[in-house]
């Protein structure tokens, strides 16, 4: 929905970084001066980043709610406050991270020169997001016998997610790297006492956290790539219209 | 690998056979599938309806035992959840207390102060009650539910709710169960109000919890009319001991007998609570559903190229949903009761099962060649995708199996459902969806049987090729056309039945209303069955209306499982009646004083009446159904999916004397003047809350509507009626991949290029089946409008004019079929131009082979392309003789001359004389004669001069051309009108009556109207003298769809006679000429439009209203007349009265083209704007900005499809919304030439000129729009 918005507002974009990776057809050279091209590309990036940021914030809120809910009984005395039960800095952090990841993926694709061709449709992206939410749901709601089982299941699910929706080496590598980094960051945060987990089983955190991170990275990357593709299309269309 | 290959082949073959089966027997298969779906879904009927209200079950108290955990056989209607011990037993002691007799000296506070004060003694009594018998000593401490800490968030309730002790709540908790605190409390109501939450509350309040009766029934307020205070002491027991409870009951009843109480105490009610969905849990759920809908939306929008897109999308969703239902049904059938929350896992199941296969199937089937049989198409499409479908399914099954071995119960259950769902989905895809698809495809084929869509339109790859790129044998051309084609206007009037049904549904909004009614009924049922809902309220209302003191509460509707009659022989009544007459004085009973008051309870109204009705029996029902869950949740005990047992209440009646009330009165109580201070009574308060809820709900509704409106505005940014909507055109290179990375190969319209002309095409005419075009070089070509074959070339390529003189000779003897092979040389200067001959040999155009040439008129001059052509192809080195250049020059000069002023007859001899370097032949002489004078050549003359007579005038350019039947009428710049046979390419007759160039022609029935440059209008009649005397309609050759245009066979002698000539039709050159519906309309430079009747060439009206020359006119069968002028104005006229209907200014500059549909007028102007006007009101609906220089050509294919020409492309627009539907690029070289003329044929094809090429574009998607 907001994609159409972007398509409307972004009518002046003439060329994006993804065009180099685009298939075949070279569009006509942009007619404006170089400066406008730069600004338009920046606008493009900013808009995409903003969208990814909002998606990240939204998912963080919802998924955090899922996690919190596990300890919540039937009738929390004040419902509204429980939505924002996490610390204020969590959603912005998640949003920023998702924006960075979502912009990084198409960028890396173009740098490596291997454009992502696998299942580039919005329906596939939606499926991916649904599975990601499902993984979170499972981690929060399903009662597992022990933590190892939970973590192994989630790891398998995350790998399955990657295999179903991504299948690119760069995606896997980036996902693992970011998951490791995020895990490290969380460890440090918990070590410094910013927050804590109820029953840590992997140093200071839960052992399924890296899997969730990995799945999240894959999902956000998927969205980012799709957005880039979409705007690339818009770019082409608009150029041809001139 | 070989195994894999073999497997693949086998699967493919199986799918092929299956596809054949499905497409062959669609109806039985659909019936079978529906039956199996219904069978599999049948067990679902036993599942409960969704709803969150608690469920009750009533058992007797006497023979109560704690139910065991194991399901014991079939125990009647015992519900599933009634297993194992309950979370708790709830024993309520219902206290009704009143100060009696009421004394006028008492203040309102006294109504509740002393009754509330008695709670402490009662509590003491209950706490200290001990039942001892042989088995031991039982006290409350051992039986009650011991609670621990309150939840951390409830610190503020710590003072009022018990911790680390028995869960025993009563109003005394407000004062920490200490009488001293109560006595010293100056304002009881304030204390009670202190703990009430601010704002809205949905769950039970603390007041409800402690009092145990709804707030307004307590009577604790200053406005208590009845002066009876009601409260309960709620004892929560962890285990059940019948003897202890019995002794407690007896004891309390003995202490405080209730005189007229007949409450039943032989039933206990078990209340089972379902999982409650709070907002916090709802948010992730809603999120998953939003994602699910987005997924379904994005998936189904990919369905394309089918007859009904929505139908197939619906079928896809139905497939997935019913496979899910089937899986749940099957699982329940085999004893697996779903324990997972269905609503929660449902989106994930849909996502796992997915819509992909369905889409892949559709895509594969529609991309098969359309000229195959439906069965074969389905089978082929299925077998193409069989391997990937099987592979995907195997992969998914493997993943799910892996999930099954995680051995986590929840995941196992999910996987089980998913496996069954996947299998049933596969089944449904194979049987249900494939069959639906085959039906859809068949309907599509049926729809275009009438219009016979050529195979090119549906073929996936646009094959390059000059003329006819496919080697498929041409479909049987002649037969189907003569049957069914109706005039477009008539066709549009008739609505198909299916559309009418849809319109009916849309008009009455039937589906929407049914859904609304269903929702309302469902909500009503929920509310009614809800324990906190209407039913209890109604019951309470009825019981309140029953007369006071009526113990039976006669008209009460029975509650769930409660025996309806209260008969006197009840143990309750015996118990309560027995001690009543003589209350035993008890040592710890301090209320001795009130015994005196007891004998006169029937005192005057000042005596408060304590009555026990049936509503007190289960007073907890009047509480919120969240009462118990919230009480337990404070101690972190959830009641979800568990149950509690509620024991019959113990009634306690307290009568207090006024003295006692005075004693317990706090000094501050009297200070309160009764009315003003407690401004808001409880009743009012609840009412006020109700209003607040209503107001907030209203506000939220308004906000929601506004939000949706904003969303709509944002999401549908079609700016209707705004100027110059910028629409993107899709580039040719982009086509294989659309916005979503999905490539629709089939929906691409591939234009058919008709090549052959050497110069730009100037005139274009068609009658639906044939297509005639004339280029600047004067060459006329006739094409088959269906296949794009070039049928005839005029002038015939076999004859060429020698380059040095105006002499004609036949060049290619092998090409003409026999007959007249000797070169016909008009100016016999043969030997002198051998070099020119060899030069012209190389001219590419003449190499065309004409399909059918008849020998009859081979001697007629059939010429090479004219002047300009020769100019261009002639190398500069070529030394051309002076006469020839003179001729060409003359032609050019003549044209240029005629552009500026009306030519005089004297202009004509110049080309002829230029040509007459050779001795003029008879034909030449004849022509010259006819140029000078105007004797109409009779048919006899024609017949006589069959060999040489109708000679073509190659000197002048063709300015206007019309095609009817197989006659081409060509009007030349020399003023000559020629009739050509379109199939044979022979000149049938010519008329040289006029001298002024023919600017426009109309050919209707057998009349030809020619408008000339000098403003005169000539009416000709075409007469056919048949040798057989039979007017034979075109049926056999199958060349057409126009019934009134007769077929002229080659034997006929056709003559064209000038019937009337209106000399001064207009003062200035006639620019436009249109004829339809028996009217001829002319527009001229002199700012007027004239309407003539076709039969008698009588001028009916002269329409004045434009302030500039007329540039465009539209008239059609329905007598709609629109005209556009150089002033940019568009006028709509009433042809019957000649009055102007509307007049709008739409364009800056000339109006170049005008088309009307039944609802709107479309105009294009020199300002490259296409405006769409409402025809009845003349209001501009919207406008489309075209590319520069491409605004002139437009056509309407159906009521809602507009086609416009652009730079090397044609664009299709949706007329209703102004959306660009598709852009079709005509050639590889996409820029440069624009489309200047555009002709819409009857069979949903459009023809447009494209430089020197013609382009034939079939619009397959129109087929559904037309029908």
């Amino acid at each position: 929905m907001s994609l159409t918005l972007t398509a409307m507002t972004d009518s002046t974009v003439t060329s994006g970084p993804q065009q180099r990776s685009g298939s075949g057809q070279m569009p006509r050279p942009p007619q404006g001066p170089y400066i406008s091209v730069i600004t338009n590309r920046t606008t493009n990036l900013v808009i995409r980043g903003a969208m990814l940021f909002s998606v990240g914030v939204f998912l963080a809120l919802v998924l955090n709610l899922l996690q919190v809910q596990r300890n919540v009984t039937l009738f929390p005395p004040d419902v509204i406050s429980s939505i924002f039960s996490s610390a204020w800095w969590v959603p912005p952090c998640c949003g920023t991270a998702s924006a960075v990841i979502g912009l990084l993926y198409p960028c890396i694709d173009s740098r490596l020169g291997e454009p992502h061709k696998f299942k580039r449709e919005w329906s596939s992206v939606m499926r991916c997001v649904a599975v990601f939410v499902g993984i979170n749901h499972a981690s929060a709601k399903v009662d597992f016998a022990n933590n190892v089982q939970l973590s192994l299941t989630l790891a398998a699910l995350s790998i399955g997610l990657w295999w179903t929706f991504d299948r690119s080496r760069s995606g896997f590598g980036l996902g693992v790297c970011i998951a490791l980094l995020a895990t490290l960051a969380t460890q440090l945060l918990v070590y410094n006492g910013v927050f804590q987990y109820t029953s840590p089983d992997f140093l200071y955190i839960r052992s399924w956290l890296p899997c969730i991170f990995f799945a999240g990275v894959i999902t956000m990357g998927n969205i980012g790539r799709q957005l880039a593709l979409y705007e690339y299309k818009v770019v082409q269309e608009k150029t041809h219209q001139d | 690998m070989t195994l894999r290959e073999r497997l693949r082949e086998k699967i493919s073959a199986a799918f092929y056979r299956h596809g054949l089966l499905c497409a062959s027997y669609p109806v039985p298969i659909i019936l079978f599938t529906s039956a199996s779906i219904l069978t599999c879904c049948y067990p679902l009927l036993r599942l409960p309806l969704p709803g969150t209200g608690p469920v009750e079950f009533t058992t007797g108290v006497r023979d109560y035992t704690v139910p065991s955990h194991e399901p014991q056989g079939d125990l009647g209607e015992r519900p599933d959840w009634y297993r194992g011990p309950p979370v708790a037993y709830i024993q309520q002691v219902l206290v009704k207390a009143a100060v009696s007799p009421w004394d006028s000296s008492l203040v309102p506070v006294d109504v509740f102060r002393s009754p509330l004060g008695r709670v402490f003694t009662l509590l003491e009594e209950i706490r200290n009650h001990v039942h001892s018998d042989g088995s031991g000593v039982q006290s409350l401490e051992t039986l009650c539910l011991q609670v621990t800490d309150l939840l951390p968030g409830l610190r503020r309730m710590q003072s009022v709710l018990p911790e680390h002790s028995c869960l025993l709540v009563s109003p005394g908790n407000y004062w920490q169960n200490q009488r001293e605190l109560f006595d010293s409390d100056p304002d009881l109501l304030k204390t009670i109000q202190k703990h009430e939450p601010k704002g809205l509350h949905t769950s039970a309040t603390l007041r409800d919890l402690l009092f145990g009766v709804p707030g307004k029934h307590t009577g604790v307020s200053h406005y208590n009319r009845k002066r009876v205070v009601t409260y309960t002491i709620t004892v929560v027991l962890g285990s059940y001991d019948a003897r202890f409870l019995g002794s407690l009951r007896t004891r309390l009843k003995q202490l405080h007998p209730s005189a007229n109480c007949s409450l039943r105490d032989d039933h206990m009610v078990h209340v089972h609570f379902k999982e409650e969905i709070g907002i916090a849990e709802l948010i992730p759920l809603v999120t998953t559903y939003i994602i699910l809908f987005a997924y379904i939306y994005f998936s189904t929008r990919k369905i394309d190229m089918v007859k009904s897109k929505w139908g197939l999308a619906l079928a896809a969703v139905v497939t997935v949903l019913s496979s899910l239902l089937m899986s749940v049904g099957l699982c329940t059938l085999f004893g697996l009761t779903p324990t997972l929350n269905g609503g929660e896992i449902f989106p994930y199941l849909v996502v796992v099962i997915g819509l992909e296969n369905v889409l892949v199937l559709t895509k594969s089937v529609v991309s098969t060649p359309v000229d195959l049989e439906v069965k074969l198409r389905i089978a082929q499409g299925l077998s193409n995708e069989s391997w990937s479908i099987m592979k995907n399914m195997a992969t998914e099954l493997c993943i799910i199996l892996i999930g099954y071995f995680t051995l986590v119960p929840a995941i196992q259950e999910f996987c089980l459902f998913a496996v069954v769902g996947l299998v049933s989905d596969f089944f449904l895809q194979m049987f249900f969806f494939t069959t639906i698809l085959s039906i859809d495809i068949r309907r599509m084929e049926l729809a275009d049987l009438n219009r016979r869509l050529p195979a090119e339109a549906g073929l996936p790859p646009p094959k390059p090729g000059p003329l006819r790129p496919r080697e498929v044998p041409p479909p049987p051309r002649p037969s189907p056309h003569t049957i069914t084609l109706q005039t477009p206007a008539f066709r549009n009037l008739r609505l198909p039945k299916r559309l009418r049904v849809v319109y009916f549904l849309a008009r009455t909004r039937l589906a929407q209303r049914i859904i609304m009614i269903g929702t309302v009924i469902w909500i009503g049922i929920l509310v009614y069955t809800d324990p906190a809902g209407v039913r209890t309220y109604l019951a309470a209302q009825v019981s309140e209306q029953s007369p006071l003191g009526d113990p039976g509460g006669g008209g009460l509707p029975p509650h769930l499982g409660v025996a309806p009659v209260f008969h006197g022989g009840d143990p309750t009544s015996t118990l309560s009646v027995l001690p009543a007459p003589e209350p035993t004085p008890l040592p710890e009973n301090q209320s001795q004083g009130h015994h005196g008051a007891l004998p006169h309870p029937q005192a005057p109204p000042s005596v408060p009446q304590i009555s026990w009705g049936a509503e007190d029996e289960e007073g907890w029902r009047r509480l919120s159904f969240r009462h118990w869950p919230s009480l337990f949740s404070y101690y972190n005990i959830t009641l979800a999916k568990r149950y509690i047992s509620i024991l019959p209440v113990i009634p306690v009646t307290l009568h207090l004397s006024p003295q006692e009330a005075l004693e317990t009165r706090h000094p501050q109580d009297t200070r309160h003047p009764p009315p003003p201070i407690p401004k808001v009574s409880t009743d009012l308060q609840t009412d006020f809350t109700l209003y607040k809820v209503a107001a907030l709900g209203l506000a939220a509704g308004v906000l929601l509507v506004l939000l949706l409106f904003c969303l709509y505005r944002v999401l549908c940014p079609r700016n209707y009626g705004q100027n110059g909507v910028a629409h993107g055109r899709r580039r040719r290179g982009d086509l294989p991949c659309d916005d979503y990375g999905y490539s629709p190969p089939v929906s691409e319209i591939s234009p058919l290029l008709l090549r052959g002309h050497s110069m730009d095409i100037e005139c274009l005419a068609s009658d639906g089946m044939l297509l005639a075009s004339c280029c600047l070089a004067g060459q006329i070509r006739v094409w088959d409008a269906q296949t794009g074959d070039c049928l005839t070339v005029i002038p015939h390529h076999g004859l060429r004019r020698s380059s040095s003189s105006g002499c004609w000779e036949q060049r290619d003897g092998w090409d003409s079929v026999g007959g007249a092979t000797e070169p016909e040389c008009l100016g016999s200067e043969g030997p002198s131009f051998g070099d020119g001959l060899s030069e012209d040999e190389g001219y590419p155009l003449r190499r065309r082979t004409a399909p059918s040439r008849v020998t009859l008129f081979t001697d007629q001059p059939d010429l090479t392309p004219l002047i300009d052509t020769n100019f261009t192809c002639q190398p500069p080195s070529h030394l051309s003789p002076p006469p020839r250049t003179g001729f060409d020059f003359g032609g050019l000069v003549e044209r240029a001359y005629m552009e500026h002023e009306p030519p005089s007859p004297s202009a004509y001899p110049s080309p002829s004389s230029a040509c007459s370097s050779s001795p003029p032949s008879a034909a030449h002489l004849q022509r010259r004669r006819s140029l000078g004078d105007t004797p109409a050549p009779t048919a006899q003359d024609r017949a006589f001069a069959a060999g040489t007579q109708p000679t073509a005038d190659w000197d002048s350019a063709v300015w206007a051309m019309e095609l009817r039947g197989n006659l081409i009428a060509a009007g030349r710049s020399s003023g000559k009108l020629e009739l050509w046979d379109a199939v044979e390419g022979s000149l049938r007759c010519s008329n040289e009556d006029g001298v002024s160039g023919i600017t426009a022609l109309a050919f209707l029935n057998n009349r030809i109207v020619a408008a000339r440059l000098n403003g005169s209008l000539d009416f000709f009649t075409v007469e056919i003298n048949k040798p057989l005397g039979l007017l034979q309609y075109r049926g056999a050759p199958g060349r057409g769809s126009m019934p009134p245009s007769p077929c002229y066979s080659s034997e006929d002698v056709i003559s064209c006679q000038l019937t009337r000539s209106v000399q001064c039709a207009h003062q200035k050159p006639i620019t436009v000429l249109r004829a339809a519906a028996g009217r001829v309309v002319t527009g001229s430079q002199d700012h007027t439009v004239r309407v003539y009747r076709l039969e008698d060439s009588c001028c009916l009206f002269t329409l004045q209203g434009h302030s500039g020359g007329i540039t465009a006119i539209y008239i059609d069968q329905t007598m709609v007349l629109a005209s556009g002028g150089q002033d940019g104005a568009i006028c709509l006229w009433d042809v019957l009265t000649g009055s102007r209907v509307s007049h709008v200014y739409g364009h800056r500059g000339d109006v170049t083209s005008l088309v009307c549909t039944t609802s709107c007028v479309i105009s294009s102007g020199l300002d490259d704007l296409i405006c769409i006007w409402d025809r009845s009101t003349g209001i501009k609906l919207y406008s489309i900005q075209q590319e520069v220089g491409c605004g002139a050509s437009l056509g309407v294919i159906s009521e809602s499809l507009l086609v416009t020409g652009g730079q090397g492309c044609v664009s299709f627009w949706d007329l209703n919304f102004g959306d660009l539907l598709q852009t079709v690029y005509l050639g590889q070289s996409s820029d440069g030439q624009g489309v200047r003329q555009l002709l819409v044929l009857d069979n949903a094809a459009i023809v447009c000129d494209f430089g020197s090429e013609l382009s034939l574009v079939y619009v397959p998607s129109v087929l559904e729009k037309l029908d």
Side-chain angles (χ1 to χ4, degrees), chain B residues 189-262:
Chain B
L189 282 178
K190 196 174 165 193
T191 314
I192 293 171
Q193 285 293 337
K194 193 174 68 185
H195 293 283
E196 290 305 289
K198 305 288 181 291
L200 286 172
H201 46 269
T202 51
S203 56
T205 61
L206 187 67
R207 181 189 177 125
D208 288 346
L209 286 181
L210 295 188
F211 275 87
V213 283
K216 64 176 175 182
H217 293 289
T218 54
V220 184
S221 77
H222 290 293
Y223 295 94
N224 190 355
R225 293 278 156 82
K226 282 158 91 186
R227 298 190 183 114
V228 177
V229 173
T230 313
Y231 56 90
T232 62
I233 299 167
T234 306
V235 188
V236 180
L237 300 167
S239 55
Y240 182 74
D241 188 330
R243 285 164 306 186
F244 174 79
L245 287 171
S247 73
L248 179 66
R249 174 179 297 267
T250 324
R251 169 85 176 148
L252 285 177
K253 282 190 173 174
Q254 276 178 348
L255 285 178
H256 311 286
S258 310
N260 46 7
C261 173
S262 61

Side-chain angles (χ1 to χ4, degrees), chain B residues 458-469:
Chain B
L459 271 184
K463 292 179 192 163
L467 266 182
R468 287 193 51 207

Side-chain angles (χ1 to χ4, degrees), chain A residues 1-5 8 25 28 58-59 62 65-66 69 71-77 79-80 82-83 119-124 126-131 133-135 137-138 141-145 149 153 156-157 160 163-165 226 229-230 233 236-238 240-241, chain B residues 151 153-154 203 275-276 278-281 283-284 287-288 291 294-295 298-299 302 344 348 351-354 356 395-396 399 406-411 626 629-630 633 636 638-640 711 714-715 717 726-734 737-742 1231:
Chain A
M1 42 177 77
S2 47
L3 309 177
T4 42
L5 238 182
M8 293 304 144
Q25 161 118 36
R28 286 181 200 172
F58 179 69
L59 280 182
V62 168
L65 196 61
L66 263 179
Q69 215 179 293
N71 296 329
V72 166
T73 45
L74 266 178
F75 309 104
V79 175
I80 300 302
S82 74
I83 294 177
K119 284 194 186 174
R120 309 207 58 173
E121 306 159 3
W122 274 113
S123 60
S124 168
M126 282 300 148
R127 232 181 158 186
C128 181
V129 175
V131 172
V133 176
I135 289 176
H137 203 145
K141 281 223 161 169
V142 178
D143 297 318
F144 283 85
Q149 200 185 20
T153 312
L157 278 175
W163 177 253
T164 324
F165 299 106
Q226 193 64 34
L229 176 83
Y230 187 78
K233 285 281 169 198
Q236 269 199 340
E237 242 173 59
K238 297 297 171 190
H240 300 327
Q241 196 198 352
Chain B
L151 272 186
L154 298 169
S203 56
E275 189 153 14
E276 186 77 29
I279 296 176
E281 300 176 41
I283 289 173
T287 313
T288 52
I291 294 174
Y295 167 64
F298 282 123
S299 297
K302 290 191 295 184
E344 241 168 61
Y348 301 122
V351 165
V352 162
I353 288 176
E356 258 67 30
T395 322
E396 283 181 344
I399 290 175
T406 50
L407 300 179
V408 179
I411 291 187
R626 290 191 174 129
S630 50
S633 73
N636 203 4
T638 175
L639 289 185
L711 268 181
V714 167
L715 294 188
H727 283 280
R729 278 177 193 273
R730 202 185 284 166
R731 192 103 175 142
R732 189 181 176 82
D734 283 354
C737 199
D738 67 1
D739 302 348
Y740 301 94
Y742 166 69
D1231 31 14

Side-chain angles (χ1 to χ4, degrees), chain B residues 80 281 398 547:
Chain B
D80 294 334
E281 300 176 41
C398 278

